[in-house]
Amino acid sequence: MKEYALNMHKLPVGVLGASGYAGHELCRLADRHPHFELVFAAAHSRAGETLRLPGRDLTLAPVDAVPLADAAIVFSALPHGASALWVARAQAAGAKVIDLSSDLRPGQGDQAMPDIDAPYGLPELNRDAIRTAAVVANPGCYPTATLLGLMPLVTRDLLVPGSPVIVDAASGVTGAGNSPRVDLLFGEVTEDFRAYGVGNTHRHLGEMRATLDAHGADVDLLFTPHLLPVARGILATITVTLREPLADPAALYRTHYAVEPFVEIATAPPRLRDVVHRNAVRIFVTPVQHVRTPTYQIFVAIDNLVKGAAGQAIQNANLLADFDETTGLPL
Amino acid sequence: MKEYALNMHKLPVGVLGASGYAGHELCRLADRHPHFELVFAAAHSRAGETLRLPGRDLTLAPVDAVPLADAAIVFSALPHGASALWVARAQAAGAKVIDLSSDLRPGQGDQAMPDIDAPYGLPELNRDAIRTAAVVANPGCYPTATLLGLMPLVTRDLLVPGSPVIVDAASGVTGAGNSPRVDLLFGEVTEDFRAYGVGNTHRHLGEMRATLDAHGADVDLLFTPHLLPVARGILATITVTLREPLADPAALYRTHYAVEPFVEIATAPPRLRDVVHRNAVRIFVTPVQHVRTPTYQIFVAIDNLVKGAAGQAIQNANLLADFDETTGLPL
Amino acid sequence: MKEYALNMHKLPVGVLGASGYAGHELCRLADRHPHFELVFAAAHSRAGETLRLPGRDLTLAPVDAVPLADAAIVFSALPHGASALWVARAQAAGAKVIDLSSDLRPGQGDQAMPDIDAPYGLPELNRDAIRTAAVVANPGCYPTATLLGLMPLVTRDLLVPGSPVIVDAASGVTGAGNSPRVDLLFGEVTEDFRAYGVGNTHRHLGEMRATLDAHGADVDLLFTPHLLPVARGILATITVTLREPLADPAALYRTHYAVEPFVEIATAPPRLRDVVHRNAVRIFVTPVQHVRTPTYQIFVAIDNLVKGAAGQAIQNANLLADFDETTGLPL
Amino acid sequence: MKEYALNMHKLPVGVLGASGYAGHELCRLADRHPHFELVFAAAHSRAGETLRLPGRDLTLAPVDAVPLADAAIVFSALPHGASALWVARAQAAGAKVIDLSSDLRPGQGDQAMPDIDAPYGLPELNRDAIRTAAVVANPGCYPTATLLGLMPLVTRDLLVPGSPVIVDAASGVTGAGNSPRVDLLFGEVTEDFRAYGVGNTHRHLGEMRATLDAHGADVDLLFTPHLLPVARGILATITVTLREPLADPAALYRTHYAVEPFVEIATAPPRLRDVVHRNAVRIFVTPVQHVRTPTYQIFVAIDNLVKGAAGQAIQNANLLADFDETTGLPL
């Protein structure tokens, strides 16, 4: 791939699954990236439809008619279950691949997936492995917010062993995709709010638990998502119990993320509009009063379609291509 | 007061602080109540403005020009700090009073308040004391949702002593009142979501802690409110640890609230639109998987302006007046 | 039918097409109507689903399994094209029928429809014919707003012959129904606004033109609908040229609608929230400055699901049943 | 000014009135502009507050403490009435000035304004005069949409003399600024829609009429704004009568705007989300059926804060500085 970067003006990239919200965002970001050239954008059932990009319109190709070999990097935003097969095909065609589905992420249980080695694509956690990977498993939106909120505590072993970690998170509706569903109609979502995946049953749980386990966190993660009447954005409200009080939790977070271009340690609780349309992760950490054990809250805001999906995929692609990690990503 | 009810067609009631959202809702409910007659609606700075009610418009009187003695029941929706004085005046004028401010609620700390004895106006908890009271302290919106969600467990002493009770709640903007504030403008709130009162600092905390204490709950309450881009409604997501697993938590809740006209035990997580414009409390309780201790989540939805304020005030007034508790309240 | 009303406690009514927004609203209104009893609620593809009504849940019956003969009045909210057949069947079974589809409305062109005589169910225009009808063609939502805004001028022959009547109207998304369509997803509609049916091509045009023609209006109606990011409500902004200036247009409108229980002549432009969840029609009329011909604007607001559909259907049913026209309708 | 551009890395620019929505957007755009350096951002009552820009925060300076002479170009987004004085001061200090207020725009009647010669800053209409101006009067948001929609017809003298031009426009709430007003609270605007400035009384009317007059249009402009429950965006629905039918109205518009970088002639009605956060003007033109005179509708969408204010100001500044007109502007 280095050859491309050196020898050609732009690196050719392609997108499979471009008709969903994440795929569309990916095409927008790839198209405006100074060193990428979007050579194809493909979809299954919506092939033939027009994809509007700033400055130009694009016709979605059928996934199985796409010249995989023409792309140095293939992004797959195909649905869970359908993606891994195309990851394997793109890899066989010689491309590096970033898979936005959950197929290759850790903690997916005993689903029968192709035997593909793919590091978990959270650069703040796993940068070195990503740089040299052939395939990257791009994280889910909720796991991105949750894990980045917890990692400074996990890696320092500050959480009380066996203690609960309560994550109440809320997401905009684009997190549920753009398939036509009655419960996602404007008339159903406006002026409403509700929890779903209650009782610790959300499909992102495995990914979060596996990653926490891999970093030695011995905690009981309890994750509850909610559906917000907004288009974009995730806010995670995380409550943890620590072994002992922290002198300066914000300083600890600032230190942990000192070199990270996309992580902002805020001095007040983050709002969705601090982060929408940006690849930012905005974090606020605060001690909790009136409780008997050292308890802290961490608030994390991201754009579910950018840092939670397409932006992070571009960040990973920059690592694969040895570009500056922030190239082409909206601040 | 009984005399009024027997001898007159309708019981005269008045509203102080009618210009806010809760006061307006109270006027609407009082005006359509079959046994109440709204004899005055008063405000401080917005006196003289028109209050639109279904079928008629009303001019807001100045608070200090109002004939308090004409009302059998006075509702005060005046601001916190300003209300207690008018409660005392209305009481002196011979009226029974329902105070929607926090002035007379439990757990308000050492604020200097008039020495008025006022039972806490949560009928599901305190019905008998309310019936015979001279003054009722109408609960806050968040405490209504939180306490009704917890009480079946508290009164059975099921919570692990010393354990945390995590309440992440979200409210529509009418909960913040209708004073002109930049951060409540449509342009600021739409497509946004944020936490506030973080670190266990919200002013409703004292009221909740005092009530839990009074019922023997030895827990660490951790309450975090969030601002939703909706006009009305509160959803509380509550996580608790129990001494041992419950065989049938829904049955326990159904039993606890069997005779309550406004409490609904749902079979799925409640949404705001299940409860808006109604005096309902809709509750769903579920065990939590993948954790080592018996953990449960309780989801509670109410309309912050109805069961969380004006509807509950009418419910209390019905008790004071010995009417059926549901009279005039929207199902 | 009079016999029912005299001899029975409540008049049995049924709803076909109860799964859409209008059908659901109709069931809610029928269920709370003091003199109606909802004896069935049926749907085609969503038969078997639960319909939530205040205080009780109801299972949708399959349309073709419904005992039509049990209802004194049948409401059909079935889709356009599918409704007329069931109107005929319900009529054959002995019921009076109110058809909320466009099938039997005036101006539908040469679609092949059963030969059913059905007066146009705009009570403010056509009350006497409705009272004695066997079948009533309930008006569309946009025609209701538009026609009620124009009729005081049309019946007085005040419009300049041959002049344009410009109607720019905007509707909440429930006007488009609750079939799952990508363009009606929350993520597509929030923070958006757009025109549709442009160039005078909307399917409601025939209904409006035919009704204006029937009342002798010789004008060029130009109707353009827009989609609002709200759940409910229609606002029509109407511009007309009159033969000569009016001394007091508001007085003219007040006189015209003096006896109408649901028409409100406002002193300021109406807003959607003046009318949502009500059967009201709120109208404001004003002269236009800085133009050379006598030009007026009429602003009309209704709730598309109430006065624009289900509420008007109940109003018509009250007329059929010889009840007070406002019975069971929200003020 | 050329000297700056040639001799220095970036051209210093300053913003007065940076605390409003348009001023904030202007600071964002100026700050990311590759050839501008934002040397001050000032406000009156909100001086001292923090202005958040992508990547950095900025403290608002007091307007009267600002080093006007340090800026080559000063933008004033101060309120109407207060702006012209500061335009004069900035000019006296040697800067070129772009005034976003209405103070210096055409058609402002007999308000006593400083005698400042300022061409109307609509580049598509007035590019040459802008290039050489000392002060530019940046257009209002509604006039930008309306005039760009009409100009292809006006300059070809296609409108019927004396005929009405009906403009029904709708704007997001940021068009009303961010002063705390009760009627702009989220709780008031959500799920609502209403007209204002009815009867042809909006303050933008003079600006539009004067510009149309200056280009020889002999028409009766009738402009009615509406308030949308969205943050950003304007959609104007314009109805006109032409002398004779057009063979290909879209072609006429494409020809007229062939060289314009920001004007898009669409093949379907534009939506707000086609244009928000962009400096685009998206136009659709269509003939009207079922009317007796040649009638056309023009639909125009812009972002009120970008092409309707701050983006257009940057476009004008690019002209003043002899940069490519699109520099630093979001496509």
Side-chain angles (χ1 to χ4, degrees):
Chain A
M1 187 148 43
K2 282 286 186 54
E3 286 80 341
Y4 278 104
L6 293 172
N7 300 335
M8 299 176 59
H9 186 59
K10 292 191 170 187
L11 196 68
V13 304
V15 174
L16 304 178
S19 62
Y21 284 124
H24 192 168
E25 188 81 9
L26 197 44
C27 291
R28 271 192 292 257
L29 291 173
D31 203 46
R32 62 173 249 184
H33 193 287
H35 305 324
F36 288 154
E37 184 183 355
L38 182 62
V39 292
F40 58 77
H44 278 303
S45 59
R46 294 192 187 166
E49 293 187 9
T50 297
L51 193 77
R52 188 176 290 174
L53 300 179
R56 66 161 176 150
D57 286 356
L58 208 128
T59 302
L60 291 173
V63 168
D64 45 22
V66 136
L68 291 169
D70 287 1
I73 300 178
V74 169
F75 299 93
S76 170
L78 291 167
H80 310 302
S83 188
L85 170 69
W86 287 94
V87 170
R89 288 185 183 169
Q91 204 182 358
K96 294 206 171 193
V97 191
I98 294 170
D99 182 16
L100 285 83
S101 86
S102 64
D103 285 359
L104 303 174
R105 295 182 201 150
Q108 298 308 301
D110 40 39
Q111 296 169 49
M113 282 296 159
D115 186 21
I116 298 174
D117 185 44
Y120 189 53
L122 199 53
E124 292 78 5
L125 205 63
N126 227 9
R127 185 169 283 118
D128 291 339
I130 297 166
R131 279 191 213 278
T132 58
V135 176
V136 177
N138 210 59
C141 50
Y142 284 126
T144 295
T146 301
L147 294 171
L148 292 177
L150 288 172
M151 274 302 147
L153 307 175
V154 167
T155 58
R156 281 163 186 77
D157 193 20
L158 295 172
L159 299 167
V160 172
S163 68
V165 167
I166 313 290
V167 182
D168 286 321
S171 173
V173 293
T174 53
N178 65 358
S179 295
R181 278 169 43 188
V182 172
D183 66 326
L184 298 179
L185 291 177
F186 184 91
E188 298 301 306
V189 174
T190 183
E191 297 290 314
D192 200 19
F193 184 61
R194 59 180 164 98
Y196 63 101
V198 300
N200 231 11
T201 62
H202 190 270
R203 64 181 175 77
H204 279 165
L205 198 70
E207 177 182 345
M208 292 187 271
R209 285 161 54 95
T211 308
L212 289 173
D213 284 355
H215 288 77
D218 172 28
V219 292
D220 278 357
L221 183 69
L222 199 179
F223 170 71
T224 311
H226 298 70
L227 185 68
L228 277 173
V230 307
R232 287 167 171 250
I234 280 179
L235 183 72
T237 294
I238 305 174
T239 307
V240 296
T241 317
L242 300 192
R243 293 176 186 268
E244 54 192 43
L246 297 174
D248 187 345
L252 184 150
Y253 272 71
R254 276 196 304 272
T255 301
H256 186 89
Y257 288 123
V259 301
E260 290 301 335
F262 294 115
V263 182
E264 305 170 357
I265 309 305
T267 56
R271 336 165 33 174
L272 297 190
R273 53 180 56 203
D274 292 334
V275 296
V276 289
H277 295 289
R278 304 174 59 214
N279 201 49
V281 183
R282 196 166 174 96
I283 302 179
F284 175 70
V285 55
T286 186
V288 172
Q289 300 181 359
H290 305 304
V291 291
R292 280 164 276 190
T293 48
T295 305
Y296 288 80
Q297 284 187 315
I298 306 112
F299 299 88
V300 186
I302 62 168
D303 183 323
N304 57 301
L305 292 182
V306 187
K307 182 62 179 172
Q312 186 142 267
I314 295 286
Q315 188 180 353
N316 282 319
N318 285 336
L319 287 170
L320 287 184
D322 207 15
F323 297 144
D324 182 282
E325 199 169 328
T326 65
T327 313
L329 284 169
L331 291 177
Chain B
M1 188 145 46
K2 284 288 187 55
E3 286 82 340
Y4 278 103
L6 294 171
N7 299 336
M8 299 177 58
H9 185 58
K10 291 191 171 188
L11 196 69
V13 304
V15 174
L16 304 177
S19 63
Y21 284 123
H24 193 168
E25 187 81 8
L26 198 42
C27 290
R28 272 193 290 259
L29 291 173
D31 203 47
R32 63 173 249 184
H33 193 286
H35 304 323
F36 289 156
E37 183 182 356
L38 182 62
V39 293
F40 59 78
H44 278 302
S45 59
R46 294 192 188 166
E49 292 186 10
T50 296
L51 193 77
R52 187 176 290 173
L53 300 180
R56 66 161 175 150
D57 286 355
L58 207 129
T59 303
L60 291 173
V63 168
D64 47 22
V66 137
L68 291 170
D70 287 2
I73 300 178
V74 169
F75 299 92
S76 172
L78 290 166
H80 310 302
S83 187
L85 170 70
W86 286 95
V87 170
R89 288 183 184 169
Q91 203 183 0
K96 294 207 170 191
V97 191
I98 293 169
D99 183 15
L100 283 83
S101 87
S102 64
D103 286 358
L104 304 173
R105 295 183 201 151
Q108 299 307 301
D110 40 37
Q111 299 168 46
M113 281 298 158
D115 186 22
I116 298 172
D117 185 44
Y120 188 53
L122 198 53
E124 291 79 3
L125 204 64
N126 227 8
R127 185 168 281 118
D128 291 340
I130 296 166
R131 278 191 214 279
T132 58
V135 176
V136 176
N138 210 61
C141 50
Y142 285 125
T144 296
T146 301
L147 293 170
L148 292 177
L150 289 172
M151 274 303 148
L153 306 175
V154 168
T155 58
R156 281 164 186 76
D157 194 20
L158 295 173
L159 299 167
V160 172
S163 69
V165 167
I166 312 290
V167 182
D168 285 322
S171 173
V173 293
T174 54
N178 65 357
S179 296
R181 278 168 45 188
V182 171
D183 65 326
L184 298 179
L185 291 177
F186 183 90
E188 300 299 308
V189 174
T190 184
E191 296 291 313
D192 199 18
F193 184 60
R194 60 181 164 99
Y196 62 102
V198 300
N200 231 11
T201 62
H202 190 269
R203 64 182 174 75
H204 278 164
L205 198 71
E207 177 181 346
M208 290 186 273
R209 286 162 53 96
T211 307
L212 289 173
D213 284 356
H215 287 77
D218 172 29
V219 291
D220 277 359
L221 183 68
L222 199 178
F223 170 72
T224 309
H226 298 70
L227 185 68
L228 277 173
V230 307
R232 290 165 169 248
I234 281 178
L235 182 73
T237 294
I238 306 175
T239 306
V240 297
T241 318
L242 300 193
R243 294 176 187 268
E244 53 193 45
L246 296 175
D248 187 344
L252 184 151
Y253 272 71
R254 277 196 302 271
T255 302
H256 186 89
Y257 288 124
V259 301
E260 291 302 335
F262 294 115
V263 182
E264 304 169 357
I265 309 305
T267 55
R271 342 167 24 174
L272 297 190
R273 52 180 55 203
D274 291 333
V275 298
V276 289
H277 296 290
R278 304 174 58 212
N279 201 50
V281 184
R282 196 166 174 96
I283 302 178
F284 175 69
V285 55
T286 187
V288 172
Q289 301 180 358
H290 305 304
V291 291
R292 279 164 275 193
T293 48
T295 305
Y296 289 81
Q297 284 189 313
I298 307 111
F299 299 87
V300 187
I302 62 169
D303 183 323
N304 59 302
L305 293 181
V306 186
K307 183 60 180 174
Q312 187 144 266
I314 295 286
Q315 188 180 353
N316 281 319
N318 284 336
L319 288 169
L320 288 183
D322 208 15
F323 296 145
D324 181 282
E325 200 168 327
T326 64
T327 312
L329 284 168
L331 288 178
Chain C
M1 189 148 41
K2 284 288 187 54
E3 287 81 341
Y4 278 105
L6 293 171
N7 299 337
M8 298 177 63
H9 185 58
K10 293 192 170 188
L11 196 67
V13 304
V15 174
L16 305 178
S19 62
Y21 284 124
H24 192 168
E25 187 81 8
L26 198 43
C27 291
R28 272 193 289 258
L29 291 173
D31 203 47
R32 62 173 249 185
H33 193 287
H35 306 323
F36 289 155
E37 183 183 355
L38 182 62
V39 293
F40 59 77
H44 278 302
S45 60
R46 294 194 188 165
E49 292 187 9
T50 297
L51 193 76
R52 189 176 290 174
L53 300 180
R56 66 159 174 150
D57 286 355
L58 208 127
T59 302
L60 291 174
V63 168
D64 46 21
V66 139
L68 292 171
D70 288 1
I73 300 178
V74 169
F75 298 93
S76 171
L78 291 167
H80 309 302
S83 188
L85 170 70
W86 286 94
V87 171
R89 289 184 183 170
Q91 203 182 359
K96 295 206 170 193
V97 190
I98 294 170
D99 182 15
L100 284 84
S101 87
S102 64
D103 285 358
L104 304 173
R105 295 182 201 152
Q108 299 308 300
D110 38 39
Q111 298 169 45
M113 281 298 158
D115 185 23
I116 298 173
D117 186 45
Y120 189 54
L122 199 53
E124 292 78 5
L125 203 65
N126 227 9
R127 185 169 283 117
D128 290 341
I130 296 165
R131 279 191 214 281
T132 58
V135 176
V136 177
N138 209 61
C141 50
Y142 285 125
T144 295
T146 301
L147 293 170
L148 292 177
L150 289 172
M151 274 303 147
L153 307 175
V154 167
T155 58
R156 281 163 186 76
D157 194 20
L158 296 172
L159 299 166
V160 171
S163 68
V165 167
I166 312 291
V167 182
D168 286 323
S171 173
V173 293
T174 54
N178 65 358
S179 296
R181 279 169 43 189
V182 171
D183 66 326
L184 298 180
L185 291 177
F186 184 91
E188 299 300 306
V189 174
T190 183
E191 297 290 314
D192 199 18
F193 184 61
R194 60 180 164 100
Y196 62 101
V198 300
N200 232 12
T201 61
H202 191 269
R203 64 182 174 75
H204 278 163
L205 198 72
E207 177 182 346
M208 291 187 270
R209 286 161 53 95
T211 308
L212 289 173
D213 283 356
H215 288 78
D218 173 27
V219 292
D220 277 357
L221 183 69
L222 200 178
F223 171 73
T224 310
H226 298 70
L227 185 69
L228 277 172
V230 308
R232 286 168 170 248
I234 281 178
L235 183 72
T237 294
I238 305 174
T239 306
V240 296
T241 318
L242 300 192
R243 292 176 187 270
E244 54 192 42
L246 296 175
D248 187 344
L252 184 150
Y253 272 72
R254 277 195 302 273
T255 302
H256 186 89
Y257 288 123
V259 301
E260 290 302 335
F262 294 115
V263 182
E264 305 170 356
I265 309 305
T267 56
R271 344 169 20 177
L272 296 190
R273 53 179 56 202
D274 291 334
V275 298
V276 288
H277 295 289
R278 303 174 59 215
N279 201 49
V281 183
R282 198 165 172 96
I283 303 178
F284 175 69
V285 55
T286 186
V288 172
Q289 300 180 0
H290 305 304
V291 291
R292 280 165 276 190
T293 49
T295 305
Y296 289 79
Q297 284 188 316
I298 306 110
F299 300 88
V300 187
I302 63 169
D303 184 322
N304 57 301
L305 292 182
V306 187
K307 183 61 180 173
Q312 187 142 267
I314 295 286
Q315 189 180 353
N316 282 320
N318 284 336
L319 288 169
L320 288 183
D322 208 16
F323 297 144
D324 182 283
E325 201 169 325
T326 65
T327 311
L329 284 168
L331 288 179
Chain D
M1 187 146 41
K2 286 284 187 57
E3 287 80 344
Y4 278 105
L6 293 172
N7 300 335
M8 298 177 59
H9 184 59
K10 291 192 172 188
L11 197 69
V13 304
V15 174
L16 305 177
S19 63
Y21 284 123
H24 192 168
E25 186 81 9
L26 198 42
C27 291
R28 272 193 290 257
L29 291 173
D31 204 47
R32 62 173 251 182
H33 193 287
H35 305 323
F36 289 156
E37 184 182 355
L38 182 63
V39 292
F40 58 78
H44 278 303
S45 59
R46 293 192 188 166
E49 292 187 10
T50 297
L51 193 76
R52 187 175 292 173
L53 300 181
R56 67 162 176 150
D57 286 355
L58 208 128
T59 302
L60 291 173
V63 168
D64 46 22
V66 140
L68 292 171
D70 287 1
I73 300 178
V74 169
F75 299 91
S76 171
L78 291 167
H80 310 302
S83 187
L85 170 69
W86 286 95
V87 171
R89 289 185 182 169
Q91 205 183 357
K96 295 208 170 193
V97 191
I98 293 169
D99 182 16
L100 283 83
S101 87
S102 65
D103 286 359
L104 305 173
R105 295 182 202 151
Q108 299 307 302
D110 39 40
Q111 299 169 44
M113 281 297 157
D115 186 20
I116 298 174
D117 186 44
Y120 188 54
L122 199 53
E124 291 79 4
L125 205 64
N126 227 8
R127 184 169 284 117
D128 290 339
I130 296 166
R131 279 191 213 279
T132 58
V135 177
V136 176
N138 208 62
C141 50
Y142 285 126
T144 295
T146 301
L147 294 170
L148 292 178
L150 289 172
M151 275 303 147
L153 306 176
V154 167
T155 58
R156 282 163 184 75
D157 194 21
L158 295 173
L159 298 167
V160 171
S163 69
V165 166
I166 312 290
V167 182
D168 286 322
S171 173
V173 294
T174 53
N178 66 357
S179 297
R181 280 167 45 187
V182 172
D183 66 326
L184 297 181
L185 291 177
F186 184 90
E188 299 299 308
V189 174
T190 182
E191 296 291 312
D192 200 18
F193 184 61
R194 61 180 164 98
Y196 62 101
V198 299
N200 231 12
T201 62
H202 191 269
R203 63 181 176 76
H204 278 165
L205 198 70
E207 177 181 346
M208 290 186 270
R209 286 161 54 95
T211 307
L212 289 173
D213 283 357
H215 288 77
D218 173 28
V219 291
D220 278 358
L221 183 69
L222 200 179
F223 170 73
T224 310
H226 299 71
L227 184 68
L228 277 174
V230 307
R232 291 165 167 248
I234 282 180
L235 183 73
T237 295
I238 306 175
T239 307
V240 296
T241 317
L242 300 192
R243 293 176 187 268
E244 53 192 44
L246 296 174
D248 187 345
L252 184 152
Y253 273 71
R254 277 196 303 271
T255 302
H256 187 89
Y257 288 124
V259 301
E260 290 301 335
F262 294 115
V263 182
E264 304 169 356
I265 309 305
T267 55
R271 339 166 28 174
L272 297 190
R273 52 180 56 201
D274 291 332
V275 297
V276 290
H277 296 290
R278 303 176 57 213
N279 200 50
V281 183
R282 197 167 173 95
I283 303 179
F284 175 70
V285 54
T286 187
V288 172
Q289 301 181 359
H290 304 305
V291 291
R292 281 164 276 190
T293 49
T295 304
Y296 289 80
Q297 285 189 313
I298 306 112
F299 299 87
V300 187
I302 62 169
D303 183 323
N304 58 300
L305 293 181
V306 186
K307 183 61 181 171
Q312 187 144 264
I314 295 287
Q315 189 181 353
N316 282 318
N318 284 337
L319 288 170
L320 287 184
D322 208 16
F323 296 145
D324 181 282
E325 200 168 327
T326 64
T327 313
L329 284 169
L331 289 180

